[in-house]
């Protein structure tokens, strides 16, 4: 279990992030068109997983904007923005903001991503949602960087994620 701050209070997640150097766990997530996407859809591509509680919170929205701005500069890399928001909300947000360089994916109907990656809040107001984290996966599916953001109201360390690529 990891403990992070949410609203100034410590809350626990269901586990720990996968270890750097290990194979990334497979996942099944819903795209904004409601198709199901898995890790295998990105074989041969580097991935930055930007994981957060909800697109409708200020810090989460800022992280999506920041990763969107930098994603177009990354070679052979996709940025996946992952939350439990409905795909409709993710599509609405990115459409309204004009964000086209990130891929939004939702755990709303599969419910296993947060559990499998050790990110699901098990207590507090956001129980069942994912804590803020960044995971970098290389083109061979190996985890090269992880960051569990200690305070959910803080942004991730973008530079560390990009350096891991």
């Amino acid at each position: 279990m990891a403990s992070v701050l949410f609203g100034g209070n410590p809350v626990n997640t269901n586990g720990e992030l996968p270890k750097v150097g290990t194979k990334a766990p497979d996942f099944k997530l819903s795209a904004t068109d409601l198709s199901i996407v898995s890790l295998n859809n990105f074989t041969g591509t580097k991935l930055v997983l930007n994981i957060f509680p909800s697109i409708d919170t200020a810090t989460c929205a800022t992280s999506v904007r920041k990763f969107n701005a930098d994603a177009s500069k990354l070679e052979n890399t996709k940025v996946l923005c992952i939350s439990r928001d409905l795909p409709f909300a993710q599509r609405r947000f990115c459409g309204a903001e004009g964000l086209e360089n990130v891929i939004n994916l939702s755990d709303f109907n599969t419910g296993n991503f947060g559990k499998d990656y050790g990110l699901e809040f098990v207590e507090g107001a956001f129980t069942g949602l994912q804590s803020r984290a960044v995971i970098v996966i290389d083109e061979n599916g190996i985890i090269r960087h992880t960051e569990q953001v200690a305070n959910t109201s803080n942004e991730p360390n973008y530079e560390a994620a990009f350096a891991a690529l």
Side-chain angles (χ1 to χ4, degrees):
M1 233 184 247
S3 182
V4 298
L5 291 178
F6 175 78
N9 299 311
V11 294
N12 291 309
T13 64
N14 70 306
E16 303 287 333
L17 291 176
K19 301 285 185 216
V20 171
T22 64
K23 185 89 170 146
D26 195 13
F27 55 73
K28 287 189 176 16
L29 297 165
S30 294
T32 57
D33 65 359
L34 301 180
S35 64
I36 300 298
V37 175
S38 75
L39 183 60
N40 291 332
N41 290 97
F42 302 101
T43 300
T45 305
K46 298 175 191 174
L47 297 175
V48 176
L49 308 185
N50 174 34
I51 306 150
F52 49 88
S54 176
I55 194 73
D56 288 321
T57 62
T59 306
C60 301
T62 298
S63 73
V64 173
R65 287 184 197 105
K66 174 65 175 159
F67 277 117
N68 181 76
D70 292 332
S72 64
K73 304 171 198 165
L74 304 173
E75 190 174 315
N76 191 35
T77 303
K78 304 273 188 216
V79 177
L80 310 182
C81 294
I82 302 169
S83 68
R84 293 213 67 195
D85 291 298
L86 290 175
F88 313 114
Q90 294 173 333
R91 184 174 53 221
R92 173 191 40 80
F93 173 82
C94 285
E97 296 275 331
L99 307 179
E100 298 177 350
N101 298 321
V102 294
I103 299 169
N104 284 292
L105 298 171
S106 174
D107 191 22
F108 89 101
N109 66 345
T110 58
N112 291 326
F113 175 81
K115 289 180 178 86
D116 293 346
Y117 277 72
L119 293 165
E120 189 170 297
F121 287 125
V122 295
E123 60 192 7
F126 277 17
T127 296
L129 300 181
Q130 284 97 34
S131 66
R132 186 176 319 288
V134 174
I135 299 171
V136 176
I137 303 170
D138 73 14
E139 59 273 10
N140 298 310
I142 304 300
I143 296 175
R144 295 298 173 198
H145 168 80
T146 62
E147 177 192 9
Q148 174 81 57
V149 179
N151 186 332
T152 304
S153 64
N154 293 341
E155 293 177 57
N157 184 339
Y158 304 105
E159 293 77 24
F162 294 133
L165 291 168

